[in-house]
mmCIF file of all heavy atoms in Angstrom:
data_model
loop_
_atom_site.group_PDB
_atom_site.id
_atom_site.type_symbol
_atom_site.label_atom_id
_atom_site.label_comp_id
_atom_site.label_asym_id
_atom_site.label_seq_id
_atom_site.Cartn_x
_atom_site.Cartn_y
_atom_site.Cartn_z
ATOM 1 N N VAL A 1 128.856 96.962 139.622
ATOM 2 C CA VAL A 1 127.785 97.817 140.140
ATOM 3 C C VAL A 1 126.911 96.953 140.982
ATOM 4 O O VAL A 1 126.618 95.773 140.631
ATOM 5 C CB VAL A 1 126.985 98.558 139.043
ATOM 6 C CG1 VAL A 1 126.325 97.549 138.148
ATOM 7 C CG2 VAL A 1 126.039 99.516 139.596
ATOM 8 N N GLY A 2 126.438 97.411 142.135
ATOM 9 C CA GLY A 2 125.517 96.721 142.985
ATOM 10 C C GLY A 2 124.069 97.038 142.711
ATOM 11 O O GLY A 2 123.730 98.227 142.546
ATOM 12 N N ILE A 3 123.272 96.041 142.486
ATOM 13 C CA ILE A 3 121.873 96.210 142.198
ATOM 14 C C ILE A 3 121.036 95.532 143.249
ATOM 15 O O ILE A 3 121.072 94.296 143.355
ATOM 16 C CB ILE A 3 121.485 95.635 140.791
ATOM 17 C CG1 ILE A 3 122.398 96.318 139.732
ATOM 18 C CG2 ILE A 3 120.023 95.841 140.521
ATOM 19 C CD1 ILE A 3 122.323 95.675 138.381
ATOM 20 N N ARG A 4 120.328 96.278 144.072
ATOM 21 C CA ARG A 4 119.477 95.700 145.113
ATOM 22 C C ARG A 4 118.252 95.101 144.514
ATOM 23 O O ARG A 4 117.553 95.708 143.712
ATOM 24 C CB ARG A 4 119.085 96.742 146.209
ATOM 25 C CG ARG A 4 118.291 96.166 147.313
ATOM 26 C CD ARG A 4 118.235 97.071 148.495
ATOM 27 N NE ARG A 4 119.443 96.914 149.276
ATOM 28 C CZ ARG A 4 120.246 97.904 149.560
ATOM 29 N NH1 ARG A 4 119.996 99.156 149.141
ATOM 30 N NH2 ARG A 4 121.314 97.660 150.254
ATOM 31 N N VAL A 5 117.952 93.846 144.894
ATOM 32 C CA VAL A 5 116.830 93.070 144.353
ATOM 33 C C VAL A 5 115.968 92.515 145.489
ATOM 34 O O VAL A 5 116.469 92.345 146.627
ATOM 35 C CB VAL A 5 117.316 91.978 143.390
ATOM 36 C CG1 VAL A 5 118.082 92.561 142.233
ATOM 37 C CG2 VAL A 5 118.105 90.903 144.112
ATOM 38 N N SER A 6 114.733 92.174 145.207
ATOM 39 C CA SER A 6 113.842 91.658 146.239
ATOM 40 C C SER A 6 113.656 90.166 146.158
ATOM 41 O O SER A 6 113.198 89.560 147.157
ATOM 42 C CB SER A 6 112.465 92.370 146.161
ATOM 43 O OG SER A 6 111.838 92.041 144.890
ATOM 44 N N ASP A 7 113.962 89.482 145.063
ATOM 45 C CA ASP A 7 113.783 88.096 144.952
ATOM 46 C C ASP A 7 114.979 87.494 144.245
ATOM 47 O O ASP A 7 115.164 87.686 143.031
ATOM 48 C CB ASP A 7 112.475 87.859 144.172
ATOM 49 C CG ASP A 7 112.133 86.368 143.991
ATOM 50 O OD1 ASP A 7 112.976 85.600 143.651
ATOM 51 O OD2 ASP A 7 110.947 86.016 144.237
ATOM 52 N N ARG A 8 115.767 86.789 144.975
ATOM 53 C CA ARG A 8 117.075 86.306 144.439
ATOM 54 C C ARG A 8 116.839 85.352 143.203
ATOM 55 O O ARG A 8 117.445 85.619 142.164
ATOM 56 C CB ARG A 8 117.821 85.490 145.459
ATOM 57 C CG ARG A 8 119.092 84.848 144.980
ATOM 58 C CD ARG A 8 119.745 83.844 145.940
ATOM 59 N NE ARG A 8 120.988 83.431 145.426
ATOM 60 C CZ ARG A 8 122.140 83.596 145.990
ATOM 61 N NH1 ARG A 8 122.180 84.265 147.209
ATOM 62 N NH2 ARG A 8 123.229 83.253 145.449
ATOM 63 N N ALA A 9 116.010 84.381 143.316
ATOM 64 C CA ALA A 9 115.777 83.449 142.211
ATOM 65 C C ALA A 9 115.302 84.158 140.915
ATOM 66 O O ALA A 9 115.826 83.933 139.810
ATOM 67 C CB ALA A 9 114.849 82.308 142.606
ATOM 68 N N ARG A 10 114.330 85.018 141.072
ATOM 69 C CA ARG A 10 113.758 85.736 139.925
ATOM 70 C C ARG A 10 114.849 86.632 139.286
ATOM 71 O O ARG A 10 114.991 86.654 138.088
ATOM 72 C CB ARG A 10 112.578 86.564 140.452
ATOM 73 C CG ARG A 10 111.931 87.397 139.323
ATOM 74 C CD ARG A 10 110.799 88.209 139.847
ATOM 75 N NE ARG A 10 111.292 89.251 140.760
ATOM 76 C CZ ARG A 10 110.526 90.198 141.300
ATOM 77 N NH1 ARG A 10 109.210 90.214 141.050
ATOM 78 N NH2 ARG A 10 111.036 91.071 142.084
ATOM 79 N N SER A 11 115.613 87.320 140.131
ATOM 80 C CA SER A 11 116.622 88.255 139.609
ATOM 81 C C SER A 11 117.730 87.566 138.936
ATOM 82 O O SER A 11 118.273 87.942 137.870
ATOM 83 C CB SER A 11 117.100 89.212 140.676
ATOM 84 O OG SER A 11 116.027 90.025 141.150
ATOM 85 N N VAL A 12 118.268 86.474 139.582
ATOM 86 C CA VAL A 12 119.350 85.723 138.994
ATOM 87 C C VAL A 12 118.891 85.147 137.631
ATOM 88 O O VAL A 12 119.633 85.243 136.612
ATOM 89 C CB VAL A 12 119.833 84.551 139.921
ATOM 90 C CG1 VAL A 12 120.713 83.587 139.165
ATOM 91 C CG2 VAL A 12 120.563 85.131 141.128
ATOM 92 N N ALA A 13 117.719 84.644 137.555
ATOM 93 C CA ALA A 13 117.160 84.090 136.288
ATOM 94 C C ALA A 13 117.040 85.233 135.219
ATOM 95 O O ALA A 13 117.404 84.996 134.104
ATOM 96 C CB ALA A 13 115.776 83.464 136.470
ATOM 97 N N PHE A 14 116.610 86.395 135.600
ATOM 98 C CA PHE A 14 116.498 87.539 134.694
ATOM 99 C C PHE A 14 117.868 87.940 134.161
ATOM 100 O O PHE A 14 118.058 88.027 132.920
ATOM 101 C CB PHE A 14 115.851 88.740 135.386
ATOM 102 C CG PHE A 14 115.788 89.972 134.527
ATOM 103 C CD1 PHE A 14 114.814 90.134 133.582
ATOM 104 C CD2 PHE A 14 116.812 90.972 134.616
ATOM 105 C CE1 PHE A 14 114.752 91.283 132.799
ATOM 106 C CE2 PHE A 14 116.782 92.104 133.794
ATOM 107 C CZ PHE A 14 115.748 92.244 132.883
ATOM 108 N N TYR A 15 118.847 88.109 135.010
ATOM 109 C CA TYR A 15 120.193 88.567 134.603
ATOM 110 C C TYR A 15 120.894 87.395 133.806
ATOM 111 O O TYR A 15 121.684 87.736 132.869
ATOM 112 C CB TYR A 15 120.985 89.068 135.724
ATOM 113 C CG TYR A 15 120.605 90.462 136.120
ATOM 114 C CD1 TYR A 15 119.659 90.676 137.167
ATOM 115 C CD2 TYR A 15 121.012 91.539 135.421
ATOM 116 C CE1 TYR A 15 119.228 91.921 137.464
ATOM 117 C CE2 TYR A 15 120.614 92.862 135.691
ATOM 118 C CZ TYR A 15 119.732 93.009 136.758
ATOM 119 O OH TYR A 15 119.238 94.328 137.039
ATOM 120 N N GLU A 16 120.601 86.191 134.086
ATOM 121 C CA GLU A 16 121.110 85.104 133.258
ATOM 122 C C GLU A 16 120.611 85.167 131.818
ATOM 123 O O GLU A 16 121.317 84.875 130.893
ATOM 124 C CB GLU A 16 120.773 83.746 133.901
ATOM 125 C CG GLU A 16 121.631 83.406 135.083
ATOM 126 C CD GLU A 16 121.247 82.083 135.747
ATOM 127 O OE1 GLU A 16 120.136 81.581 135.525
ATOM 128 O OE2 GLU A 16 122.111 81.552 136.506
ATOM 129 N N ARG A 17 119.391 85.575 131.663
ATOM 130 C CA ARG A 17 118.781 85.724 130.307
ATOM 131 C C ARG A 17 119.570 86.827 129.528
ATOM 132 O O ARG A 17 119.519 86.827 128.332
ATOM 133 C CB ARG A 17 117.341 86.127 130.414
ATOM 134 C CG ARG A 17 116.512 84.910 130.939
ATOM 135 C CD ARG A 17 115.142 85.310 131.471
ATOM 136 N NE ARG A 17 114.291 85.935 130.513
ATOM 137 C CZ ARG A 17 113.199 86.683 130.852
ATOM 138 N NH1 ARG A 17 112.908 86.836 132.062
ATOM 139 N NH2 ARG A 17 112.498 87.206 129.890
ATOM 140 N N LEU A 18 120.231 87.738 130.205
ATOM 141 C CA LEU A 18 120.991 88.803 129.627
ATOM 142 C C LEU A 18 122.442 88.426 129.436
ATOM 143 O O LEU A 18 123.251 89.232 128.963
ATOM 144 C CB LEU A 18 120.884 90.100 130.410
ATOM 145 C CG LEU A 18 119.500 90.689 130.463
ATOM 146 C CD1 LEU A 18 119.494 91.938 131.407
ATOM 147 C CD2 LEU A 18 118.976 91.072 129.083
ATOM 148 N N GLY A 19 122.812 87.179 129.831
ATOM 149 C CA GLY A 19 124.217 86.748 129.639
ATOM 150 C C GLY A 19 125.101 86.752 130.865
ATOM 151 O O GLY A 19 126.266 86.442 130.724
ATOM 152 N N PHE A 20 124.534 87.109 132.002
ATOM 153 C CA PHE A 20 125.341 87.059 133.242
ATOM 154 C C PHE A 20 125.242 85.656 133.860
ATOM 155 O O PHE A 20 124.207 85.016 133.728
ATOM 156 C CB PHE A 20 124.808 88.129 134.243
ATOM 157 C CG PHE A 20 125.139 89.550 133.875
ATOM 158 C CD1 PHE A 20 124.227 90.233 133.024
ATOM 159 C CD2 PHE A 20 126.221 90.177 134.265
ATOM 160 C CE1 PHE A 20 124.478 91.522 132.681
ATOM 161 C CE2 PHE A 20 126.536 91.465 133.942
ATOM 162 C CZ PHE A 20 125.642 92.199 133.116
ATOM 163 N N ARG A 21 126.280 85.287 134.564
ATOM 164 C CA ARG A 21 126.324 83.997 135.241
ATOM 165 C C ARG A 21 126.737 84.254 136.727
ATOM 166 O O ARG A 21 127.708 85.005 136.907
ATOM 167 C CB ARG A 21 127.251 82.958 134.613
ATOM 168 C CG ARG A 21 126.821 82.555 133.225
ATOM 169 C CD ARG A 21 125.530 81.683 133.250
ATOM 170 N NE ARG A 21 124.983 81.437 131.938
ATOM 171 C CZ ARG A 21 123.980 82.115 131.369
ATOM 172 N NH1 ARG A 21 123.377 83.063 132.038
ATOM 173 N NH2 ARG A 21 123.578 81.814 130.156
ATOM 174 N N GLU A 22 126.134 83.601 137.671
ATOM 175 C CA GLU A 22 126.551 83.756 139.049
ATOM 176 C C GLU A 22 127.860 83.009 139.240
ATOM 177 O O GLU A 22 127.971 81.837 138.897
ATOM 178 C CB GLU A 22 125.429 83.135 140.012
ATOM 179 C CG GLU A 22 125.704 83.364 141.445
ATOM 180 C CD GLU A 22 124.590 82.962 142.329
ATOM 181 O OE1 GLU A 22 124.194 81.773 142.257
ATOM 182 O OE2 GLU A 22 124.099 83.836 143.027
ATOM 183 N N GLU A 23 128.801 83.744 139.770
ATOM 184 C CA GLU A 23 130.155 83.211 139.959
ATOM 185 C C GLU A 23 130.499 82.966 141.503
ATOM 186 O O GLU A 23 131.177 82.068 141.849
ATOM 187 C CB GLU A 23 131.232 84.102 139.386
ATOM 188 C CG GLU A 23 131.199 84.109 137.895
ATOM 189 C CD GLU A 23 132.419 84.874 137.327
ATOM 190 O OE1 GLU A 23 133.053 85.675 138.015
ATOM 191 O OE2 GLU A 23 132.696 84.639 136.135
ATOM 192 N N ILE A 24 130.004 83.924 142.292
ATOM 193 C CA ILE A 24 130.308 83.892 143.731
ATOM 194 C C ILE A 24 129.072 84.201 144.536
ATOM 195 O O ILE A 24 128.353 85.149 144.204
ATOM 196 C CB ILE A 24 131.412 84.912 144.078
ATOM 197 C CG1 ILE A 24 132.691 84.616 143.253
ATOM 198 C CG2 ILE A 24 131.750 84.928 145.581
ATOM 199 C CD1 ILE A 24 133.762 85.737 143.351
ATOM 200 N N ASP A 25 128.846 83.419 145.596
ATOM 201 C CA ASP A 25 127.740 83.722 146.541
ATOM 202 C C ASP A 25 128.415 84.288 147.764
ATOM 203 O O ASP A 25 129.460 83.825 148.231
ATOM 204 C CB ASP A 25 127.052 82.371 146.898
ATOM 205 C CG ASP A 25 125.862 82.597 147.767
ATOM 206 O OD1 ASP A 25 125.284 83.745 147.789
ATOM 207 O OD2 ASP A 25 125.458 81.624 148.453
ATOM 208 N N LEU A 26 127.855 85.425 148.270
ATOM 209 C CA LEU A 26 128.408 86.132 149.406
ATOM 210 C C LEU A 26 127.326 86.179 150.494
ATOM 211 O O LEU A 26 126.789 87.284 150.799
ATOM 212 C CB LEU A 26 128.902 87.491 149.002
ATOM 213 C CG LEU A 26 129.954 87.533 147.933
ATOM 214 C CD1 LEU A 26 130.037 88.911 147.298
ATOM 215 C CD2 LEU A 26 131.265 87.105 148.508
ATOM 216 N N PRO A 27 126.941 85.056 151.113
ATOM 217 C CA PRO A 27 125.785 85.054 152.075
ATOM 218 C C PRO A 27 126.007 86.012 153.268
ATOM 219 O O PRO A 27 125.027 86.626 153.706
ATOM 220 C CB PRO A 27 125.702 83.614 152.492
ATOM 221 C CG PRO A 27 126.958 82.999 152.066
ATOM 222 C CD PRO A 27 127.552 83.739 150.968
ATOM 223 N N ALA A 28 127.211 86.195 153.745
ATOM 224 C CA ALA A 28 127.430 87.083 154.879
ATOM 225 C C ALA A 28 127.105 88.558 154.454
ATOM 226 O O ALA A 28 126.866 89.355 155.363
ATOM 227 C CB ALA A 28 128.865 86.984 155.391
ATOM 228 N N HIS A 29 127.120 88.802 153.187
ATOM 229 C CA HIS A 29 126.906 90.193 152.695
ATOM 230 C C HIS A 29 125.538 90.322 151.993
ATOM 231 O O HIS A 29 125.230 91.330 151.369
ATOM 232 C CB HIS A 29 128.024 90.659 151.731
ATOM 233 C CG HIS A 29 129.334 90.614 152.385
ATOM 234 N ND1 HIS A 29 129.753 91.600 153.202
ATOM 235 C CD2 HIS A 29 130.337 89.715 152.352
ATOM 236 C CE1 HIS A 29 130.954 91.403 153.650
ATOM 237 N NE2 HIS A 29 131.364 90.227 153.136
ATOM 238 N N HIS A 30 124.761 89.233 152.006
ATOM 239 C CA HIS A 30 123.522 89.217 151.363
ATOM 240 C C HIS A 30 123.654 89.633 149.876
ATOM 241 O O HIS A 30 122.917 90.502 149.311
ATOM 242 C CB HIS A 30 122.438 90.089 152.008
ATOM 243 C CG HIS A 30 122.265 89.809 153.473
ATOM 244 N ND1 HIS A 30 121.590 88.700 153.917
ATOM 245 C CD2 HIS A 30 122.720 90.402 154.574
ATOM 246 C CE1 HIS A 30 121.607 88.624 155.203
ATOM 247 N NE2 HIS A 30 122.317 89.679 155.648
ATOM 248 N N ALA A 31 124.625 89.040 149.203
ATOM 249 C CA ALA A 31 124.947 89.444 147.840
ATOM 250 C C ALA A 31 125.519 88.242 147.079
ATOM 251 O O ALA A 31 125.801 87.244 147.602
ATOM 252 C CB ALA A 31 125.977 90.607 147.844
ATOM 253 N N ASN A 32 125.615 88.442 145.730
ATOM 254 C CA ASN A 32 126.327 87.538 144.869
ATOM 255 C C ASN A 32 127.136 88.343 143.912
ATOM 256 O O ASN A 32 127.068 89.564 143.854
ATOM 257 C CB ASN A 32 125.379 86.548 144.165
ATOM 258 C CG ASN A 32 124.615 87.227 143.023
ATOM 259 O OD1 ASN A 32 124.802 88.379 142.728
ATOM 260 N ND2 ASN A 32 123.814 86.456 142.308
ATOM 261 N N GLU A 33 128.003 87.703 143.103
ATOM 262 C CA GLU A 33 128.692 88.309 142.006
ATOM 263 C C GLU A 33 128.313 87.542 140.757
ATOM 264 O O GLU A 33 128.328 86.305 140.750
ATOM 265 C CB GLU A 33 130.156 88.273 142.202
ATOM 266 C CG GLU A 33 130.662 89.171 143.344
ATOM 267 C CD GLU A 33 132.174 89.300 143.422
ATOM 268 O OE1 GLU A 33 132.910 88.762 142.487
ATOM 269 O OE2 GLU A 33 132.659 89.864 144.394
ATOM 270 N N MET A 34 127.918 88.336 139.764
ATOM 271 C CA MET A 34 127.595 87.767 138.444
ATOM 272 C C MET A 34 128.492 88.377 137.395
ATOM 273 O O MET A 34 128.824 89.575 137.527
ATOM 274 C CB MET A 34 126.121 87.957 138.119
ATOM 275 C CG MET A 34 125.172 87.285 139.126
ATOM 276 S SD MET A 34 123.427 87.407 138.676
ATOM 277 C CE MET A 34 123.319 86.175 137.408
ATOM 278 N N ALA A 35 128.809 87.673 136.325
ATOM 279 C CA ALA A 35 129.678 88.223 135.299
ATOM 280 C C ALA A 35 129.212 87.698 133.926
ATOM 281 O O ALA A 35 128.692 86.596 133.822
ATOM 282 C CB ALA A 35 131.097 87.881 135.528
ATOM 283 N N THR A 36 129.516 88.478 132.884
ATOM 284 C CA THR A 36 129.324 88.046 131.493
ATOM 285 C C THR A 36 130.623 87.277 131.045
ATOM 286 O O THR A 36 131.606 87.347 131.775
ATOM 287 C CB THR A 36 129.112 89.181 130.568
ATOM 288 O OG1 THR A 36 130.312 89.975 130.504
ATOM 289 C CG2 THR A 36 127.886 90.093 130.977
ATOM 290 N N ALA A 37 130.495 86.637 129.935
ATOM 291 C CA ALA A 37 131.700 85.925 129.377
ATOM 292 C C ALA A 37 132.883 86.900 129.159
ATOM 293 O O ALA A 37 133.993 86.490 129.216
ATOM 294 C CB ALA A 37 131.318 85.230 128.084
ATOM 295 N N ASP A 38 132.549 88.188 128.971
ATOM 296 C CA ASP A 38 133.615 89.227 128.741
ATOM 297 C C ASP A 38 134.079 89.850 130.003
ATOM 298 O O ASP A 38 134.848 90.800 129.921
ATOM 299 C CB ASP A 38 133.081 90.240 127.735
ATOM 300 C CG ASP A 38 132.942 89.716 126.350
ATOM 301 O OD1 ASP A 38 133.954 89.089 125.801
ATOM 302 O OD2 ASP A 38 131.850 89.845 125.786
ATOM 303 N N GLY A 39 133.576 89.438 131.155
ATOM 304 C CA GLY A 39 134.028 89.944 132.398
ATOM 305 C C GLY A 39 133.374 91.207 132.948
ATOM 306 O O GLY A 39 133.857 91.854 133.868
ATOM 307 N N VAL A 40 132.197 91.598 132.402
ATOM 308 C CA VAL A 40 131.448 92.664 132.925
ATOM 309 C C VAL A 40 130.698 92.114 134.173
ATOM 310 O O VAL A 40 130.019 91.135 134.129
ATOM 311 C CB VAL A 40 130.450 93.231 131.908
ATOM 312 C CG1 VAL A 40 129.569 94.287 132.576
ATOM 313 C CG2 VAL A 40 131.142 93.760 130.698
ATOM 314 N N ARG A 41 130.897 92.833 135.300
ATOM 315 C CA ARG A 41 130.387 92.308 136.604
ATOM 316 C C ARG A 41 129.328 93.140 137.214
ATOM 317 O O ARG A 41 129.336 94.386 137.118
ATOM 318 C CB ARG A 41 131.590 92.248 137.608
ATOM 319 C CG ARG A 41 132.597 91.285 137.148
ATOM 320 C CD ARG A 41 133.730 91.145 138.270
ATOM 321 N NE ARG A 41 134.553 90.019 137.951
ATOM 322 C CZ ARG A 41 134.264 88.752 138.186
ATOM 323 N NH1 ARG A 41 133.065 88.438 138.758
ATOM 324 N NH2 ARG A 41 135.067 87.793 137.816
ATOM 325 N N ILE A 42 128.408 92.440 137.829
ATOM 326 C CA ILE A 42 127.365 93.095 138.762
ATOM 327 C C ILE A 42 127.379 92.306 140.033
ATOM 328 O O ILE A 42 127.726 91.192 140.087
ATOM 329 C CB ILE A 42 126.010 93.146 138.079
ATOM 330 C CG1 ILE A 42 125.504 91.692 137.786
ATOM 331 C CG2 ILE A 42 125.997 93.996 136.845
ATOM 332 C CD1 ILE A 42 124.015 91.686 137.285
ATOM 333 N N ASN A 43 126.916 92.968 141.076
ATOM 334 C CA ASN A 43 126.564 92.281 142.311
ATOM 335 C C ASN A 43 125.117 92.454 142.515
ATOM 336 O O ASN A 43 124.620 93.611 142.355
ATOM 337 C CB ASN A 43 127.257 92.909 143.496
ATOM 338 C CG ASN A 43 128.718 92.548 143.644
ATOM 339 O OD1 ASN A 43 129.305 92.025 142.718
ATOM 340 N ND2 ASN A 43 129.298 92.818 144.787
ATOM 341 N N LEU A 44 124.390 91.386 142.821
ATOM 342 C CA LEU A 44 123.024 91.512 143.209
ATOM 343 C C LEU A 44 123.059 91.573 144.720
ATOM 344 O O LEU A 44 123.615 90.714 145.406
ATOM 345 C CB LEU A 44 122.182 90.363 142.736
ATOM 346 C CG LEU A 44 122.043 90.161 141.248
ATOM 347 C CD1 LEU A 44 121.133 89.040 140.875
ATOM 348 C CD2 LEU A 44 121.625 91.503 140.547
ATOM 349 N N ILE A 45 122.398 92.604 145.270
ATOM 350 C CA ILE A 45 122.267 92.754 146.694
ATOM 351 C C ILE A 45 120.921 92.240 147.065
ATOM 352 O O ILE A 45 119.907 92.698 146.583
ATOM 353 C CB ILE A 45 122.359 94.308 147.132
ATOM 354 C CG1 ILE A 45 123.573 94.936 146.488
ATOM 355 C CG2 ILE A 45 122.423 94.420 148.665
ATOM 356 C CD1 ILE A 45 124.944 94.263 146.714
ATOM 357 N N LEU A 46 120.955 91.149 147.864
ATOM 358 C CA LEU A 46 119.774 90.287 147.962
ATOM 359 C C LEU A 46 118.922 90.555 149.199
ATOM 360 O O LEU A 46 118.332 89.697 149.786
ATOM 361 C CB LEU A 46 120.267 88.810 148.024
ATOM 362 C CG LEU A 46 121.196 88.422 146.889
ATOM 363 C CD1 LEU A 46 121.911 87.110 147.119
ATOM 364 C CD2 LEU A 46 120.429 88.396 145.562
ATOM 365 N N ASN A 47 118.747 91.867 149.549
ATOM 366 C CA ASN A 47 117.930 92.186 150.735
ATOM 367 C C ASN A 47 116.939 93.251 150.493
ATOM 368 O O ASN A 47 116.493 93.970 151.386
ATOM 369 C CB ASN A 47 118.872 92.613 151.879
ATOM 370 C CG ASN A 47 119.715 93.837 151.537
ATOM 371 O OD1 ASN A 47 119.576 94.442 150.486
ATOM 372 N ND2 ASN A 47 120.574 94.240 152.457
ATOM 373 N N GLY A 48 116.501 93.399 149.231
ATOM 374 C CA GLY A 48 115.486 94.422 148.870
ATOM 375 C C GLY A 48 114.068 94.012 149.296
ATOM 376 O O GLY A 48 113.755 92.867 149.433
#
């Protein structure tokens, strides 16, 4: 699921506290991919 955020560092830190880890940076798409150890994935859309 894509979640638009306004502050990359703050949002990555927040989702890391919930067990997600950044796996892929997609600068051309202003996004990243984060996943839990069990493979649940989110994309942070970094242009909010």
Side-chain angles (χ1 to χ4, degrees):
V1 62
I3 302 170
R4 181 165 281 121
V5 301
S6 64
D7 183 311
R8 178 191 186 118
R10 178 181 68 173
S11 295
V12 166
F14 176 83
Y15 283 96
E16 284 177 341
R17 292 162 59 200
L18 297 175
F20 289 87
R21 295 292 171 258
E22 186 173 59
E23 291 187 340
I24 300 171
D25 186 22
L26 301 163
H29 300 282
H30 306 286
N32 75 359
E33 290 188 8
M34 299 185 77
T36 66
D38 290 307
V40 176
R41 296 185 168 280
I42 61 174
N43 284 15
L44 297 184
I45 311 304
L46 307 166
N47 61 2

